[in-house]
Amino acid sequence: MVPDDEGGGLMRVDLLGDAIDGLDEALTAVDGFDDVLVGGLLRPQPGQSDGLMGLAEAVAGTPLASRVAEAAEKTAAGAAGEDHFVALAAARTALLGSVHDALAARVEEVVDRPRAEESAGEAAPGGVGDAGRGEETQASNLGAAARSWLSDLARAGWQGIDHDLVAEAAPVVSAMLPDPALRRLATLLDGFAGELAACCPGAGLERIPVRRWADLWSRAMLLTVPGAGSASAGRGEATGRLLPLGVDVQEHATAVQAQVHGVFEPADGGTPRLVRASVSAPKPDTVVGAGLWQVLRPHMSLLTAVSEERVMALDAMPLTAEGDLIWDDGRARMGDSAEVFTTARVALPTAAAFPTAPLDRHPARLAVPVLLEGYAVEEGDDGAVAFEIAGQRLAVDAERAPTAGPLTAEAVASSAACIGLLRWDAGEFLLQPLAVERTVGKKSVAVHAGAWAGGTSDKAGVRAEKAATDAVKVLRERAGKLLRK
Amino acid sequence: MVTDRFISVPPGLGEDSPFVCMGDGALSLWERSSTARVMPSARPRKLAKVPFVELADGRLQGVVSSGSDARRVYVSSVEAGSYAFTCSTNNNRPCGGGRGWFCNHIRALIGEAVLQYGLERVTRYLKVEDPADAPDVHSLTSAMAGTRPAQGDRSTAAQVFSRFLRHLAYLELDPSTAPVPEMQWFPTTRAVA
Ligand SMILES: [Zn+2]
């Protein structure tokens, strides 16, 4: 089939609306289990065993089968131990992994870019932690403490949570945060516990984010298994040019991460690859807006390159088997300017994606850079934005952009071209804008979500920077007086 | 074909399965979203007067700077529902400012909480029924003070203060350039509460 260039670049956007075989069945099993966690497993009701058995049946043909069947049975009888909860979390994760793979395959058809060849020589997936022995013991003790808290959560159910139960996570998180090997689990537990605390007591909740909390619970549960959260053992090196496409910012009350998506062109002339570079930090909850950039900026010169629309030259930058650059400013040099929309039009179609790590196979992890053009904008009464391309409606998450940046929902709604991340949530594909092009007079003007990442001369941006600087100054001053007594 | 990518298409999970009817259809999309936004992020505010505020443990609580002594802070709290209040220094000396009523530290705490979390969330958390036509931080404070709340248990001050120190300790933790895939569940948003 010849792709229709008019209808959204070279993409087969029309395929996004087509049903995917097996998706509903897998999600139904997931939902059945998620509903079980609402009421909790302390005294399971007859209705809850359906959800547990459904999960077990859904993985019946896999190596997990017998462990999960046993776990479902014990749990339905109110006799589950922690290992049984881990088995249930593993089954749910496997099911969502299959959903991820089906969605990723569909996206591959839609974007029609070079296929990711498994770079077997470079890397093998998975791997064991590289922590020292003494640290390993402490790490596994903390992992066990986290597992015990998560098991208590499962017994209480979302409707049974209270302040005392949720507060038990705090000492575990505090002990984990300073250890780089436990940072991922600590960051997850911290965000999860903060959210639960804001929703206590669970008995009073009018609605519950059922899938979300089950996601966070299962993921945390699996990360407590030793070795599960360690960085992949396989590492390559990247030498060549990195052309940024945009920044995706993620934050909860006490953590922030900025992920730069870009195209890496190897110096040896190999296939260009889609890569990410991340920088994250724990933060006090009062550090927000421009404060997020200020926390991250000193650790990744790439944020400046994104703001200034520049290329960076990489010299032996560590690169994981999943396409994550482990950024080191000492291995990067600022290069020439390169307009992001040119990168998206010229380099992006040639770039091949890396495979996803086994544990990361989850629909929420799908974030595929795309360029869309030639769409009609549809604006709902509630301000919701959607693009219509080739007869297909694509929802746009126009609010998913950092507050300390110029990319507003209005800018998205008045755009003619958009670079974004294709995602999937709650049963549909959607687009997270990273940058848009608008026509102002006869000129095309680009607006980037990450325009202020490296700093800004924009008036509102400067004001936000000043406020954030002052806030951190006050906190540091207090910390200086009170913490080092 | 994608069917074979599935671990299995579970038998008994077709349309006539007993839990399909109580599953998907009835529940809203929000409940089936992985990245549903449950908690809006804090709004920026100046921190000099009240460096720490939180809605936690069933209380609005925080730390208020002393107007006169840079080394002294007050630990103040108001309990949800009863509005029982406490105010003492970080060395656990009672605050003499309120004479049985909300002192200025508590008033400042309420004001900054409203800036950080929004009026609606603070009002809901404290379980206040504000009769004002146009509720604001003053009517919220009056609605609570008008019930003549009692003094609360000051022994929680040490706990609040240690939570403040824990909060400050986040500044001392090193950033990392190793990816944290878990943060995919916490998208940023421009939307305000
Ligand atoms: Zn006082």
Side-chain angles (χ1 to χ4, degrees), chain A residues 449-464:
Chain A
W452 302 355
T456 178
S457 54
D458 178 286
K459 233 176 172 180
V462 170
R463 223 172 20 239

Side-chain angles (χ1 to χ4, degrees), chain A residues 12-233:
Chain A
R12 290 289 313 275
V13 179
D14 54 308
L15 297 175
L16 287 178
D18 291 0
I20 296 177
D21 291 340
L23 197 76
D24 287 347
E25 289 90 334
L27 288 175
T28 300
V30 168
D31 290 344
F33 173 71
D34 294 356
D35 290 341
V36 168
L37 288 180
V38 173
L41 294 163
L42 192 59
R43 285 177 212 85
Q45 305 299 306
Q48 287 176 299
S49 84
D50 291 347
L52 293 164
M53 298 310 160
L55 183 68
E57 281 169 40
V59 296
T62 77
L64 286 171
S66 64
R67 273 189 66 202
V68 177
E70 186 200 321
E73 213 169 283
K74 292 272 188 209
T75 307
E82 292 180 5
D83 288 346
H84 297 126
F85 289 139
V86 173
L88 295 176
R92 184 184 184 278
T93 305
L95 274 178
L96 283 162
S98 68
V99 172
H100 166 275
D101 293 356
L103 294 168
R106 173 58 50 85
V107 170
E108 235 172 58
E109 290 174 65
V110 169
V111 297
D112 193 28
R113 288 199 285 255
R115 280 195 66 96
E117 82 265 26
E118 303 289 333
S119 37
E122 277 174 44
V128 226
D130 45 11
R133 281 197 180 274
E135 289 160 19
E136 249 169 41
T137 316
Q138 205 226 350
S140 69
N141 287 344
L142 289 171
R147 203 175 315 138
S148 150
W149 178 70
L150 291 162
S151 299
D152 287 345
L153 274 187
R155 293 189 186 102
W158 311 132
Q159 286 171 333
I161 55 169
D162 60 27
H163 289 297
D164 290 341
L165 173 55
V166 173
E168 281 167 27
V172 183
V173 170
S174 289
M176 282 182 172
L177 274 171
D179 183 349
L182 295 172
R183 184 62 71 80
R184 281 176 58 184
L185 177 55
T187 303
L188 171 59
L189 290 175
D190 209 9
F192 187 22
E195 208 164 293
L196 293 173
C199 295
C200 279
L205 287 175
E206 273 170 43
R207 56 177 192 168
I208 291 171
V210 180
R211 184 175 292 167
R212 172 178 178 75
W213 285 355
D215 274 358
L216 300 179
W217 179 84
S218 326
R219 195 165 179 88
M221 205 46 137
L222 291 190
L223 283 179
T224 67
V225 176
S230 52
S232 70

Side-chain angles (χ1 to χ4, degrees), chain A residues 379-442:
Chain A
E379 267 189 282
D381 295 335
D382 52 354
V385 179
F387 292 162
E388 212 184 286
I389 316 154
Q392 175 64 37
R393 182 182 178 281
L394 177 60
V396 180
D397 194 353
E399 299 284 358
R400 187 170 177 166
T403 45
L407 186 60
T408 59
E410 294 74 38
V412 174
S414 60
S415 66
C418 180
I419 298 169
L421 296 174
L422 193 56
R423 292 186 176 274
W424 187 92
D425 188 43
E428 66 169 355
F429 283 100
L430 56 138
L431 184 74
Q432 171 193 354
L434 297 178
V436 299
E437 257 184 357
R438 310 164 68 189
T439 311
V440 179
K442 280 179 187 161

Side-chain angles (χ1 to χ4, degrees), chain B residues 74-76 86-88 95-98 103-106:
Chain B
Y74 288 87
V75 179
S76 315
T86 64
C87 188
S88 54
C95 160
C103 60
N104 285 336
H105 306 119
I106 290 192

